[in-house]
Amino acid sequence: DAGVTQSPTHLIKTRGQQVTLRCSPKSGHDTVSWYQQALGQGPQFIFQYYEEEERQRGNFPDRFSGHQFPNYSSELNVNALLLGDSALYLCASSFLDPKGGHNEQFFGPGTRLTVL
Amino acid sequence: DAKTTQPPSMDCAEGRAANLPCNHSTISGNEYVYWYRQIHSQGPQYIIHGLKNNETNEMASLIITEDRKSSTLILPHATLRDTAVYYCIVGSSNTGKLIFGQGTTLQVKP
């Protein structure tokens, strides 16, 4: 089992551009969450996808959007990039228990985005 | 979700127990305490969780006070590979939004 995989590993963009990050969940997982981690800070929740729908959303502007595919993989899109979007973007997957259980979230290694 | 408070940094000698405290005085009755850690340049890794009873697994032990306002994560025999940022998180589920604070940077020294 490859665990959670993310691509690309590193990315450099300029202000105003658009970026797409990709995530493949751990085998057997159906839920994908995205987090942004600025340097020296803890990860901040962006949103979560389940059954191809956005299930929860954190306090991020509409420039941040996502998608989940039938095979449970997911994309994070960021439009009109700002310098402040430079961060490590983490993807986490889990199996959603309808009863609200405690299946742990497995995190990928992240994509390091630098906006110049 | 309840907020947590952790010391920014701690040191521990290799082979000794590392005790990482966390305050969560506003925790509500249906909220659990979760611990994750993040080794440099990697994604966070789940360690353990608990509601009100003490818990132990192959990685660590979790001690929760009777009033549930604080907890301690114990790594019984710390190794250099345990050097990481440790996050204490309070929430009703491990599969939804996780609210990370600043965490505690644990430095295990030889």
Side-chain angles (χ1 to χ4, degrees), chain A residues 37 41 48 56 102-103 105, chain B residues 32 34 38 94-97:
Chain A
Q37 186 172 25
Q41 305 294 316
Q48 183 182 75
Q56 286 183 300
H102 306 286
N103 299 311
Q105 293 193 32
Chain B
Y32 288 72
Y34 301 96
Q38 187 172 24
N94 202 7
T95 52
K97 176 176 67 174

Side-chain angles (χ1 to χ4, degrees), chain A residues 10-102:
Chain A
H10 295 86
L11 201 53
I12 298 175
K13 292 285 188 178
T14 56
R15 279 180 298 174
Q17 285 190 308
Q18 178 264 344
V19 69
T20 297
L21 310 181
R22 295 177 176 82
C23 172
S24 291
K26 183 177 169 65
S27 178
H29 287 182
D30 57 6
T31 303
V32 173
S33 301
W34 287 92
Y35 292 81
Q36 180 195 66
Q37 186 172 25
L39 201 60
Q41 305 294 316
Q44 300 297 306
F45 177 79
I46 303 175
F47 43 54
Q48 183 182 75
Y49 277 83
Y50 171 69
E51 292 187 338
E52 303 179 48
E53 301 267 344
E54 185 181 286
R55 178 172 175 266
Q56 286 183 300
R57 188 178 181 92
N59 188 26
F60 279 79
D62 293 344
R63 298 187 297 111
F64 290 78
S65 63
H67 188 78
Q68 185 179 35
F69 299 93
N71 67 352
Y72 306 117
S73 67
S74 177
E75 289 182 348
L76 164 66
N77 301 292
V78 187
N79 295 322
L81 284 168
L82 304 174
L83 296 179
D85 294 332
S86 294
L88 180 68
Y89 288 84
L90 294 159
C91 169
S93 74
S94 58
F95 175 73
L96 185 65
D97 182 345
K99 300 177 184 177
H102 306 286

Side-chain angles (χ1 to χ4, degrees), chain B residues 8-19:
Chain B
S9 63
M10 295 182 64
D11 289 341
C12 177
E14 187 178 21
R16 302 298 293 269
N19 296 281

Side-chain angles (χ1 to χ4, degrees), chain B residues 5-83:
Chain B
T5 303
Q6 300 177 253
S9 63
M10 295 182 64
D11 289 341
C12 177
E14 187 178 21
R16 302 298 293 269
N19 296 281
L20 293 93
C22 179
N23 287 321
H24 31 78
S25 57
T26 60
I27 192 170
S28 62
N30 67 340
E31 288 184 316
Y32 288 72
V33 180
Y34 301 96
W35 283 83
Y36 280 74
R37 74 179 181 183
Q38 187 172 24
I39 296 170
H40 185 62
S41 298
Q42 297 181 23
Q45 175 191 23
Y46 165 82
I47 302 172
I48 198 168
H49 75 272
L51 181 63
K52 55 183 177 181
N53 298 321
N54 298 338
E55 303 288 345
T56 296
N57 64 18
E58 64 279 4
M59 290 182 67
S61 295
L62 175 60
I63 308 298
I64 302 174
T65 58
E66 192 169 344
D67 62 7
R68 303 209 321 124
K69 293 184 177 182
S70 65
S71 60
T72 301
L73 178 74
I74 301 172
L75 307 178
H77 305 286
T79 71
L80 298 179
R81 288 177 294 181
D82 292 321
T83 292

